[in-house]
C-alpha cells in the first residue's frame, strides 16, 4: 500500500459532486490508487483488512447471495437512478419538467450564498432523487416507468399496504436537513398547487426513540432553532406558506395500543370485565391528533432500519438463533412489527401519500425472515460511509489491523468479545453472586488500558496550545447487559465498598481522567463518567429495577447538580430518573448544561441513534456484533465531525475516531450440520476379572488445608515460580489502529511504565496477605505485609519476565495478582519446616475412584493395551501419549498403568484466582524397591509446550496434591512426574525410576525405615 494512500484521506469537497475516489479491490480493500470519477454504489465497508489473518476468510458476496446461491445486487437500480438524476441535473431549467415552486427551491439549494453552512451535495442529491422520481420519472418514458415498477414490486413484496422510498445517507451526513428540505418541497407545493395530489402539508415524523424525537423539533417551522430559518433552507418569501404545514413528531413506541378505559386488576375483578384495546382511530387521535382531517399525509421514518414486516423464519434459521441472538432478534422483530403496524393504521385512518425512510443502514436484521444484512429493496439513493469519508463529512474510524498476540483470525481487539464473552456475567445481575469490578477479564482490562492511554494523549492535545478546545473528548463503551456495564463503569470511574466497621472505602477508578471521586472518597461535584441504558430511556417507559439500582448514585448526584444550577429544589425533585438521565446524555460536551463534564459514557445497550455528540474520539465494544449493521450503527456514534471549517484547499481537515472491540468483517451465515452417528465405535472397558490385578485406585481430592505461620514468612522458589507476562495472558499490548485511508496510530501500554516499582510491590503484598493470610472480615496484618513485600520484591527481581510490551503494573490486574499469589504462596508452603503442613481434603461421599467402572463408546484413535492395564484400550490425545503408552507397557518396574480418560481423576488447582480442575494424563503403579506391598503411585503429565497454566498445575501437584495425599497416610505413596520431550520420554522415565530405586537402597544402607 503506497504512502500516498495514507497522506490525504479526503479527496472531495463536501459541497460538490464527488470527482475522485480511492480504488478498492474485489474484497473491498484499498489498492492505494486514486481513480477519477464518482464511486459506484456498492455494499462495501470502509474498514481495512487485517494485515495478519489466520484461518477462514469471508467474502462480501456472502451478503449478496440469496438462498439459492444466486448473486443479487440491489444497488443496480440505485446506480441507474443516480445516473438518470445526474443527467437531469445538467439540463437547462426549462427542461427540468418540475413545478415552478420546485424549480425555485432547487435554485435556492444549489446556488444561494448561505451565511453559515450550506447543504452538502449528498443532502441535495437525496432530495433531488425524490423530486426526480415524483415529478419527472412518470413523464420520462420507459426508463422512469422501469424504476417505478421496481419500487412498486419491492414494496409489494415486503410492505404490501405501504409505498416507501428509502434514502441511504451515512451517519453524520445530515439526514435531519434532508427531512427539512422534503417538508419544505411538499408543503410549499401543496399550498401553491392545491390540486396536485402528489404533494401534502401533513407530516408524521416517526423516530426510534425520545432522544431523536426531541432533536427533530428543529423541523417545526415555529421552533426557535428551526432549520428553515437558521440554515436558510427556504427563501424568505416562502416562509409564510411553509407555516401552513402540520407536523407531528413521535417515537414508534407511541403506536402501542392502550386500553380504552384504564383499569387495574382489582377494578377488572370488581367489574368482571377485560380491558379493551383502543381502535386505530383512537390511537391515531392520541398520537397524531393534529393530522386528523388531512388526507394522504407523508411519513418520514428516521433510522428506518427498525421498520419492516418480518417473514416467518424457516426451521433451520429458527434453530440457528440461540441465546442473546435469539433474544435480540425477538426484540428487533417486536419493535419492527409495532412500527410498521402503526403506519398501516395511519394509512387506514388518514391515508398515506408516501413513506420516506432515512437511515445510514437500511438493512434487514437477523431473524427478520430476510437474508441478514440485505438492503431494503426500495432504497433509491445511496451516499455511503466510504463516500462520506472521502468527502470529509464524517470522522475516519480507525480499527486494529495488527497486534502482537499469536493465533486468531484477526487482531484480538478487533473482535474482543470472542476472548471475553464467556467470562462476563449473563443478563441480569447474577443473582446470589457478588460481582467484583477488579475481576474483569485480562483482555478487557488491556483493551481499556490501551484505548485509555491514547485517550489521555488526545485529551492533552485538545487542552494544550494557545487555543485549547473548551470541551473534552468523549470515550464510549458499549456493553451487552447491566451487569457487565456496571462492572466496567465501576472499574473505570471508581466505587465505594462497605467495610465491616460500617465505614465506606473508596476503590479508585483505574482511568484517572474518568474518576468520579476525589482520592479521599468524596464524590466529585461534576461527574466524569456516565452509566446509561439508552434502550430503556428511549422507550419512554420506566427504567428497570436492575438499572435503577446500578445508576442510583449518579441519578442523585445529577439531581443535586440540577438544584445547584436552577436553585429550585422542588422542581428538581419532581424530575423522574429517566428524564434526568436522558437530559445528561443529550447534553454531553455542551457547556453550561448537565452533561458538559462527561468524558466517558458506559452504555448498557446500543447508544441511541440520533445521539449527536460530535466529540466522541474513542469507542470500545464489549458485546457481540453479529452483523455489519450493528457494527456500523455503533461506530456511527463517533462519526460526527467537530469542525466544519474548510482548509485553503477547499477540503475539510481529517478527524479520527479510534475503535476497539467491534469486528467490521462481513461473515457468512452459520452452517447447521445435521446430526450424524459417529462411525467405527469401539467399546472401551475394564476387563474384569482377568485384569483385576492391574486395577488402580486413586483419591478424589476436593481441596487442601494448609497450615501456615502467622509470624515469620520464608519462601522457597522453584523453576515453576517464574511468571512470563505476555500478551497471551493480559491481551494485546501493541495494537495498530488504521482506517481504510488516512493516518495510522499505535495503541500501546507505555504509560503504565510510569507506575513505580515500590507501588506495585506494596499493592501485591497487601493483596496476598489480605486474600491468603487473613481471616474473613479481619484487617490484614501490617507486619505480614512488610514481610510479604520483601518476598514479592525478590520474586519480581528473580522470577518475573515481561515480554511483548507488557508492563509490571499489569501484575495488579486481579487475575494476574491471584496468579502471582498462587506462585508465592506455594513457595512459602514449601519453605516451612516440620512437616504436616498440607492435608488433602477428600470428597466426603466418594473418597476413592477406581478403574473398575470404566465403560464407554468412542470413535477416537486407540492404543491396545497389555495385561498391565486394567482397561482394554487407552485413548491417547497425541503421538507423545502413544509413545508413553508404549514405554509404560514395556518397563519391567511398571506393574499397572492407565490413561486418564473417562476415569474421573481430577486435580483441583487455582489459576489467576479462578478455581479450576485438571486431568493429569496417566497414573502408574511402580515397584521402586520397597516391595509389592508398598508400591509408588505415579501421576504423569505429558506436556509439549509449558505455558503459565502448566506451571500452575505442576506447582499444585508438587506443593499441595502429592504432599497433601501422602500426609493423610491412608492412600499409599504418591509422586508426580512431567515429561516434555517426546524422543527422550523412554530414557527420562527409566532414569527417574533408577533414581528412586537408588534412593530407597541408600536409605536401607543407613537404616532409614522404608
Amino acid at each position: 500500500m503506497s504512502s500516498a494512500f495514507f497522506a490525504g484521506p479526503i479527496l472531495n469537497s463536501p459541497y460538490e459532486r464527488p470527482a475522485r475516489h480511492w480504488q478498492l479491490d474485489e474484497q473491498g480493500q484499498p489498492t492505494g490508487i486514486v481513480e477519477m470519477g464518482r464511486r459506484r454504489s456498492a455494499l462495501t465497508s470502509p474498514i481495512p483488512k487485517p494485515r495478519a489473518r489466520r484461518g477462514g476468510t469471508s467474502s462480501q458476496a456472502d451478503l449478496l447471495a440469496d438462498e439459492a446461491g444466486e448473486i443479487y445486487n440491489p444497488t443496480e437500480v440505485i446506480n441507474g437512478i443516480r445516473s438518470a438524476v445526474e443527467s437531469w441535473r445538467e439540463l437547462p431549467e426549462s427542461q427540468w419538467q418540475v413545478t415552478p415552486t420546485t424549480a425555485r427551491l432547487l435554485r435556492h439549494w444549489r446556488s444561494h450564498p448561505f451565511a453559515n453552512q450550506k447543504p452538502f451535495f449528498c443532502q441535495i442529491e437525496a432530495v433531488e432523487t425524490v423530486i426526480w422520481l415524483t415529478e419527472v420519472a412518470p413523464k420520462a418514458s420507459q426508463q422512469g416507468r422501469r424504476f417505478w415498477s421496481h419500487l412498486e414490486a419491492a414494496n409489494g413484496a415486503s410492505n404490501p399496504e405501504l409505498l416507501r422510498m428509502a434514502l441511504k445517507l451515512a451517519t453524520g451526513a445530515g439526514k435531519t436537513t434532508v427531512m427539512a428540505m422534503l417538508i419544505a418541497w411538499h408543503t410549499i407545493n401543496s399550498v401553491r398547487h392545491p390540486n396536485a395530489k402528489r404533494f401534502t402539508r401533513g407530516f408524521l415524523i416517526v423516530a426510534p426513540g425520545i432522544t431523536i424525537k426531541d432533536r427533530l423539533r428543529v423541523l417545526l417551522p415555529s421552533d426557535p432553532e428551526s432549520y428553515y430559518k437558521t440554515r436558510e433552507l427556504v427563501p424568505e418569501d416562502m416562509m409564510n406558506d411553509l407555516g401552513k404545514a402540520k407536523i407531528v413528531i413521535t417515537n414508534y413506541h407511541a403506536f402501542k395500543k392502550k386500553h380504552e378505559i384504564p383499569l387495574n386488576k382489582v377494578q377488572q375483578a370488581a367489574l368482571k370485565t377485560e380491558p379493551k384495546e383502543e381502535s386505530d382511530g383512537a390511537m391515531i387521535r392520541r398520537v397524531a391528533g393534529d393530522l386528523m382531517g388531512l388526507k394522504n399525509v407523508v411519513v418520514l421514518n428516521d433510522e428506518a432500519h427498525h421498520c419492516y414486516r418480518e417473514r416467518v423464519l424457516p426451521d433451520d434459521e429458527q434453530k440457528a438463533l440461540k441465546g442473546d441472538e435469539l433474544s435480540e432478534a425477538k426484540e428487533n422483530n417486536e419493535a419492527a412489527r409495532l412500527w410498521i403496524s402503526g403506519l398501516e393504521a395511519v394509512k387506514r385512518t388518514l391515508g398515506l401519500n408516501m413513506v420516506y425512510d432515512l437511515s445510514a443502514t437500511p438493512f434487514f436484521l437477523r431473524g427478520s425472515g430476510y437474508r441478514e444484512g440485505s438492503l431494503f429493496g426500495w432504497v433509491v439513493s445511496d451516499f455511503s460511509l466510504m463516500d462520506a469519508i472521502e468527502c470529509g463529512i464524517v470522522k475516519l474510524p480507525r480499527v486494529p489491523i495488527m497486534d502482537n498476540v499469536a493465533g486468531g483470525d484477526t487482531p484480538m481487539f478487533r473482535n474482543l468479545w470472542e476472548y471475553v464473552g464467556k467470562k462476563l456475567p449473563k443478563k441480569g445481575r447474577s443473582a446470589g453472586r457478588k460481582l467484583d469490578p477488579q475481576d474483569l477479564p485480562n483482555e478487557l482490562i488491556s483493551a481499556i488500558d490501551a484505548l485509555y492511554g491514547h485517550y489521555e494523549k488526545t485529551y492533552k492535545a485538545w487542552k494544550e496550545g494557545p487555543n485549547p478546545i473548551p470541551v473534552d473528548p468523549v470515550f464510549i463503551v458499549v456493553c451487552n447487559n447491566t451487569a457487565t456495564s456496571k462492572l466496567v463503569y465501576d472499574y473505570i470511574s471508581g466505587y465505594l465498598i462497605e467495610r465491616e466497621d460500617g465505614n465506606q472505602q473508596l476503590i479508585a477508578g483505574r482511568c484517572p481522567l474518568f474518576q468520579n471521586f476525589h482520592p479521599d472518597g468524596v464524590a466529585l461535584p461534576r461527574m466524569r463518567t456516565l452509566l446509561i441504558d439508552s434502550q430503556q430511556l428511549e422507550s419512554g417507559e420506566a427504567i428497570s429495577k436492575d438499572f435503577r439500582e446500578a445508576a442510583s448514585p449518579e441519578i442523585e448526584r445529577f439531581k443535586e447538580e440540577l438544584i445547584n444550577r436552577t436553585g429550585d429544589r422542588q422542581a428538581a425533585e419532581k424530575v423522574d430518573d429517566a428524564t434526568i438521565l436522558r437530559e445528561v446524555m443529550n447534553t454531553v460536551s455542551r457547556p453550561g448544561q448537565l452533561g458538559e463534564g462527561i468524558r466517558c459514557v458506559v452504555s448498557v445497550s446500543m447508544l441511541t441513534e440520533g445521539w449527536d455528540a460530535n466529540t466522541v474520539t474513542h469507542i470500545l465494544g464489549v458485546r457481540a456484533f453479529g452483523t455489519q449493521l450493528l457494527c456500523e450503527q455503533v461506530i456511527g456514534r463517533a462519526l460526527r465531525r467537530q469542525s466544519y471549517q474548510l482548509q485553503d484547499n477547499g477540503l475539510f481537515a481529517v478527524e479520527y475516531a479510534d475503535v476497539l472491540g467491534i469486528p467490521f468483517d462481513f461473515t457468512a451465515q452459520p452452517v447447521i450440520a445435521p446430526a450424524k452417528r459417529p462411525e467405527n465405535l469401539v467399546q472401551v472397558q475394564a476387563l474384569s476379572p482377568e485384569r483385576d490385578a492391574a486395577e488402580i485406585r486413586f483419591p478424589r481430592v476436593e481441596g487442601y488445608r494448609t497450615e501456615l505461620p502467622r509470624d515469620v514468612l520464608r519462601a522457597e522458589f522453584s523453576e515453576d515460580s517464574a511468571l512470563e507476562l505476555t500478551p497471551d495472558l493480559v491481551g494485546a499490548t501493541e495494537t495498530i489502529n488504521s482506517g481504510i485511508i488516512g493516518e495510522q496510530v499505535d495503541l500501546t501500554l507505555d504509560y503504565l511504565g510510569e507506575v513505580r516499582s515500590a507501588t506495585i510491590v506494596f499493592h501485591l503484598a497487601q493483596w496476598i496477605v489480605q486474600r491468603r493470610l487473613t481471616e474473613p472480615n479481619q484487617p490484614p496484618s501490617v507486619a505480614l505485609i512488610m514481610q510479604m513485600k520483601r518476598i514479592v520484591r525478590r520474586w519480581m527481581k528473580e522470577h518475573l519476565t515481561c515480554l511483548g510490551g507488557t508492563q509490571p503494573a499489569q501484575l495488579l490486574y486481579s487475575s494476574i495478582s491471584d496468579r502471582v499469589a498462587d506462585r508465592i504462596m506455594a513457595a512459602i508452603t514449601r519453605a516451612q519446616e516440620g512437616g504436616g503442613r498440607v492435608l488433602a481434603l477428600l470428597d466426603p461421599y466418594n473418597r476413592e475412584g477406581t478403574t473398575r467402572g470404566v465403560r464407554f463408546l468412542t470413535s477416537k484413535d486407540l492404543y491396545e493395551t497389555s495385561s498391565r492395564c486394567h482397561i482394554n484400550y487407552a485413548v491417547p490425545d497425541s503421538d507423545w501419549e502413544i509413545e508413553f503408552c508404549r514405554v509404560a507397557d514395556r518397563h519391567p518396574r511398571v506393574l499397572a498403568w492407565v490413561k486418564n480418560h473417562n476415569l474421573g481423576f481430577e486435580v483441583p488447582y487455582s489459576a489467576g484466582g479462578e478455581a479450576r480442575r485438571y486431568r493429569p494424563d496417566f497414573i502408574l503403579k511402580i515397584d521402586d524397591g520397597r516391595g509389592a506391598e508398598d508400591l509408588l503411585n505415579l501421576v504423569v503429565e505429558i506436556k509439549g509446550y509449558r505455558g503459565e497454566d502448566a506451571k500452575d498445575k505442576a506447582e499444585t501437584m508438587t506443593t499441595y496434591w502429592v504432599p497433601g495425599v501422602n500426609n493423610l497416610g491412608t492412600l499409599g505413596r504418591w509422586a508426580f512426574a512431567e515429561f516434555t520431550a517426546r524422543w527422550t520420554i523412554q530414557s527420562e522415565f527409566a532414569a527417574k525410576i533408577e533414581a528412586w530405586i537408588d534412593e530407597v537402597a541408600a536409605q536401607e544402607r543407613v537404616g532409614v525405615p522404608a
Side-chain angles (χ1 to χ4, degrees), residues 325-482:
E325 291 182 355
L326 178 60
S327 299
E328 190 166 358
K330 286 181 177 178
E331 290 175 5
N332 289 335
N333 284 339
E334 286 173 7
R337 191 182 310 122
L338 176 59
W339 192 327
I340 200 165
S341 297
L343 297 187
E344 290 166 349
V346 172
K347 181 179 180 182
R348 289 191 295 268
T349 305
L350 301 178
L352 282 183
N353 177 304
M354 176 63 72
V355 178
Y356 297 113
D357 296 332
L358 291 100
S359 173
T361 50
F363 302 109
F364 286 109
L365 303 176
R366 176 175 300 183
S368 65
Y370 298 86
R371 184 166 183 82
E372 178 188 349
S374 57
L375 199 64
F376 288 173
W378 52 96
V379 175
V380 296
S381 173
D382 177 21
F383 191 77
S384 68
L385 183 52
M386 193 67 198
D387 296 321
I389 290 172
E390 289 169 337
C391 292
I393 292 173
V394 298
K395 291 175 184 167
L396 175 67
R398 288 188 293 207
V399 299
I401 60 171
M402 182 181 291
D403 63 19
N404 59 346
V405 176
D409 287 347
T410 56
M412 173 182 287
F413 294 159
R414 185 81 158 253
N415 190 2
L416 181 62
W417 188 253
E418 181 180 328
Y419 297 88
V420 305
K422 293 181 180 178
K423 303 175 184 178
L424 292 171
K426 303 300 181 187
K427 192 172 183 179
R429 295 302 308 279
S430 299
R433 185 164 70 92
K434 185 174 177 58
L435 301 175
D436 185 352
Q438 303 305 318
D439 287 339
L440 290 172
N442 293 333
E443 298 88 349
L444 175 53
I445 295 176
S446 289
I448 293 171
D449 281 345
L451 203 56
Y452 173 75
H454 189 260
Y455 175 90
E456 275 196 344
K457 295 177 184 177
T458 304
Y459 179 86
K460 188 176 179 181
W462 281 34
K463 299 304 176 184
E464 289 181 342
N467 297 307
I469 298 175
V471 295
D472 298 336
V474 175
F475 183 117
I476 62 179
V477 187
V478 180
C479 299
N480 61 320
N481 59 41
T482 303

Side-chain angles (χ1 to χ4, degrees), residues 78-89:
I78 298 172
N79 286 309
I81 294 175
R82 176 189 290 177
S83 178
V85 171
E86 287 177 350
S87 299
W88 168 75
R89 187 186 299 126

Side-chain angles (χ1 to χ4, degrees), residues 213-360:
K213 174 185 170 184
D214 293 342
R215 183 172 58 80
L216 294 178
R217 293 190 62 82
V218 295
L219 297 176
L220 300 174
S222 59
D223 191 84
E225 300 296 321
S226 160
Y227 272 15
Y228 313 103
K229 297 175 185 175
T230 59
R231 302 205 176 187
E232 305 173 74
L233 293 180
V234 174
E236 192 64 35
D237 61 298
M238 290 183 162
M239 286 300 296
N240 285 337
D241 291 339
L242 180 64
K244 296 177 182 177
K246 288 192 174 183
I247 302 172
V248 171
I249 306 172
T250 189
N251 54 319
Y252 77 87
H253 309 84
F255 290 141
K256 186 174 183 179
K257 291 186 175 180
K258 300 183 177 181
H259 297 154
E260 282 188 344
I261 303 175
L263 298 174
N264 60 36
K265 291 184 178 179
V266 175
Q267 292 169 327
Q268 291 176 32
L271 297 174
K272 297 181 180 180
T273 183
E274 291 290 330
K276 185 179 179 182
E277 273 192 349
E278 60 187 347
S279 64
D280 285 354
M283 184 268 286
I284 299 301
R285 279 192 296 275
R286 172 174 54 81
V287 174
D290 289 348
L291 299 179
M292 300 301 287
L294 292 177
K295 295 294 182 183
N296 295 326
V297 301
V298 157
V299 170
L300 291 145
N301 281 334
D302 198 2
E303 304 298 350
H305 50 269
H306 295 286
C307 178
Y308 52 82
R309 174 66 67 189
E310 82 272 22
R311 292 174 173 170
V312 177
L313 273 179
D315 289 342
D316 56 339
E317 290 186 35
Q318 186 70 48
K319 291 177 182 177
L321 287 172
K322 297 178 181 178
D324 289 342
E325 291 182 355
L326 178 60
S327 299
E328 190 166 358
K330 286 181 177 178
E331 290 175 5
N332 289 335
N333 284 339
E334 286 173 7
R337 191 182 310 122
L338 176 59
W339 192 327
I340 200 165
S341 297
L343 297 187
E344 290 166 349
V346 172
K347 181 179 180 182
R348 289 191 295 268
T349 305
L350 301 178
L352 282 183
N353 177 304
M354 176 63 72
V355 178
Y356 297 113
D357 296 332
L358 291 100
S359 173

Side-chain angles (χ1 to χ4, degrees), residues 450-647:
L451 203 56
Y452 173 75
H454 189 260
Y455 175 90
E456 275 196 344
K457 295 177 184 177
T458 304
Y459 179 86
K460 188 176 179 181
W462 281 34
K463 299 304 176 184
E464 289 181 342
N467 297 307
I469 298 175
V471 295
D472 298 336
V474 175
F475 183 117
I476 62 179
V477 187
V478 180
C479 299
N480 61 320
N481 59 41
T482 303
T484 298
S485 63
K486 177 61 173 170
L487 291 174
V488 172
Y489 170 75
D490 285 347
Y491 179 85
I492 284 175
S493 64
Y495 56 101
L496 297 170
I497 58 173
E498 197 80 26
R499 296 196 316 215
E500 287 299 315
D501 58 9
N503 293 321
Q504 290 186 319
Q505 177 185 346
L506 171 67
I507 306 298
R510 290 293 290 269
C511 302
L513 290 174
F514 300 155
Q515 288 175 350
N516 282 338
F517 296 89
H518 284 296
D520 59 6
V522 177
L524 292 172
R526 185 166 295 167
M527 294 180 68
R528 295 170 176 168
T529 300
L530 172 69
L531 177 65
I532 211 77
D533 186 335
S534 57
Q535 194 171 43
Q536 290 185 30
L537 297 182
E538 288 305 293
S539 69
E541 299 176 359
I543 57 179
S544 70
K545 179 183 176 183
D546 280 345
F547 182 73
R548 186 187 303 278
E549 290 176 359
S552 59
E554 62 181 304
I555 291 172
E556 291 306 312
R557 286 163 68 181
F558 282 124
K559 284 186 176 180
E560 285 299 320
E561 185 175 348
L562 187 60
I563 293 167
N564 292 336
R565 288 175 183 269
T566 64
D568 189 343
R569 175 172 292 276
Q570 190 172 7
E573 292 294 345
K574 289 180 179 178
V575 177
D576 66 84
D577 297 344
T579 300
I580 199 165
L581 288 176
R582 197 180 301 117
E583 173 66 15
V584 177
M585 182 175 67
N586 292 343
T587 57
V588 168
S589 295
R590 295 184 185 176
Q593 301 194 46
L594 280 180
E596 73 169 306
I598 298 298
R599 297 171 181 169
C600 178
V601 178
V602 181
S603 174
V604 176
S605 54
M606 297 285 291
L607 267 166
T608 177
E609 294 124 332
W611 187 60
D612 60 353
N614 62 358
T615 51
V616 178
T617 55
H618 297 78
I619 299 183
L620 176 63
V622 191
R623 58 157 290 166
F625 292 92
T627 65
Q628 166 66 17
L629 171 63
L630 291 178
C631 294
E632 194 164 329
Q633 282 178 320
V634 174
I635 66 165
R637 307 293 78 80
L639 294 183
R640 296 184 188 280
R641 287 187 63 90
Q642 189 176 11
S643 170
Y644 290 92
Q645 183 69 40
L646 288 175
Q647 302 181 105

Side-chain angles (χ1 to χ4, degrees), residues 119-173:
F120 295 140
F121 167 82
C122 63
Q123 295 168 334
I124 297 175
E125 181 188 49
V127 179
E128 285 177 335
T129 301
V130 174
I131 290 173
W132 185 84
L133 283 168
T134 305
E135 297 194 48
V136 183
K139 312 170 189 174
S141 67
Q142 187 174 354
Q143 184 188 44
R145 288 194 293 273
R146 178 169 65 86
F147 293 139
W148 267 103
S149 295
H150 164 84
L151 199 59
E152 290 163 354
N155 278 283
S158 303
N159 314 289
E161 295 188 37
L162 303 173
L163 188 58
R164 302 170 69 178
M165 283 187 195
L167 305 175
K168 182 173 178 283
L169 285 96
T171 298

Side-chain angles (χ1 to χ4, degrees), residues 793-814:
R793 191 179 298 111
R794 176 185 157 204
W795 177 85
M796 287 181 63
K797 181 180 179 181
E798 298 175 0
H799 299 283
L800 172 66
T801 306
C802 292
L803 302 175
T806 56
Q807 299 287 345
Q810 292 180 284
L811 292 174
L812 302 182
Y813 291 3
S814 176

